[in-house]
């Protein structure tokens, strides 16, 4: 019974949010419920790499958060690092999925994109600094490579929007960094 409630409450809350958005802002329920490619009548391959990246963020967040919880239950002391890493991954997943730093924060809340990226980067840096002993005792070159790839993606996005192949470099570096 508890598992059923645990699974159904978020579903019910999501559907109530759909009703609220329909009533309050007159947003089509079809736009809220259906796949974006179906709504916009685009082929299913549009956004393929972005969707795979979002799934990879979700997998990373899930593994980190579950492992943090399991470690906490067993008294293992890396769960704080895993918890923070899971939170960072979840934030970046939702940002990627709903385009928070690209559109929502700048256009709806009037927060500059650079400020949002600075907040995300600061949270990640605090996480890395706070858990540097764990990172330095691991194979941290994987993390450094990912951070370098994210850096390439950000630099290309911010300063080189007009170069040939910009999207492949920017989004390819981001996707590779996620993986």
């Amino acid at each position: 019974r508890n598992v059923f409630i645990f699974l159904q409450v978020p579903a019910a809350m999501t559907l109530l949010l759909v009703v609220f958005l329909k009533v309050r802002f007159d947003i089509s329920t079809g736009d809220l419920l259906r796949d974006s490619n179906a709504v916009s009548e685009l082929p299913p391959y549009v956004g393929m790499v972005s969707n795979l990246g979002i799934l990879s963020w979700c997998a990373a967040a899930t593994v980190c958060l579950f492992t943090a919880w399991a470690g906490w239950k067993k008294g293992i002391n890396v769960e704080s690092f895993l918890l923070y890493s899971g939170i960072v991954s979840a934030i970046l997943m939702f940002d990627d999925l709903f385009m928070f730093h690209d559109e929502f924060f700048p256009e709806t809340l009037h927060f500059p994109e650079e400020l949002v990226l600075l907040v995300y980067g600061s949270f990640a840096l605090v996480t890395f600094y706070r858990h540097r002993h764990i990172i330095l005792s691991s194979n941290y070159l994987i993390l450094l490579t990912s951070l370098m790839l994210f850096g390439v993606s950000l630099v290309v996005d911010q300063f080189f929007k007009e170069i040939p192949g910009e999207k492949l470099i920017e989004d390819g570096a981001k996707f590779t960094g996620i993986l």
Side-chain angles (χ1 to χ4, degrees), residues 18-111:
V18 167
V19 171
F20 170 78
L21 293 171
K22 168 64 178 165
V23 171
R24 176 72 170 93
F25 300 104
D26 196 32
I27 299 173
S28 162
T29 53
D31 286 354
L32 294 167
L33 294 168
R34 296 174 58 218
D35 180 83
S36 56
N37 286 0
V39 170
S40 58
E41 298 180 0
L42 293 170
Y45 58 80
V46 172
M48 174 185 73
V49 173
S50 177
N51 288 339
L52 291 172
I54 292 164
L55 290 172
S56 298
W57 281 128
C58 186
T62 301
V63 167
C64 286
L65 294 172
F66 178 78
T67 307
W69 174 79
W72 174 76
K73 296 289 271 182
K74 294 204 178 265
I76 300 169
N77 71 357
V78 296
E79 69 269 4
S80 173
F81 175 61
L82 293 168
L83 175 66
Y84 279 78
S85 298
I87 291 169
V88 167
S89 296
I91 288 169
L92 294 174
M93 174 195 66
F94 283 114
D95 181 272
D96 216 2
L97 183 61
F98 295 113
M99 300 174 61
F100 286 149
H101 82 272
D102 294 309
E103 293 184 16
F104 179 74
F105 284 116
E107 294 177 16
T108 305
L109 301 178
H110 308 292
F111 289 156

Side-chain angles (χ1 to χ4, degrees), residues 88 118-131 135 147:
V88 167
L118 182 65
V119 169
Y120 290 171
S122 297
F123 187 76
L125 285 174
V126 166
T127 297
F128 298 148
Y129 180 76
R130 184 169 180 213
H131 302 96
I135 293 169
L147 293 174

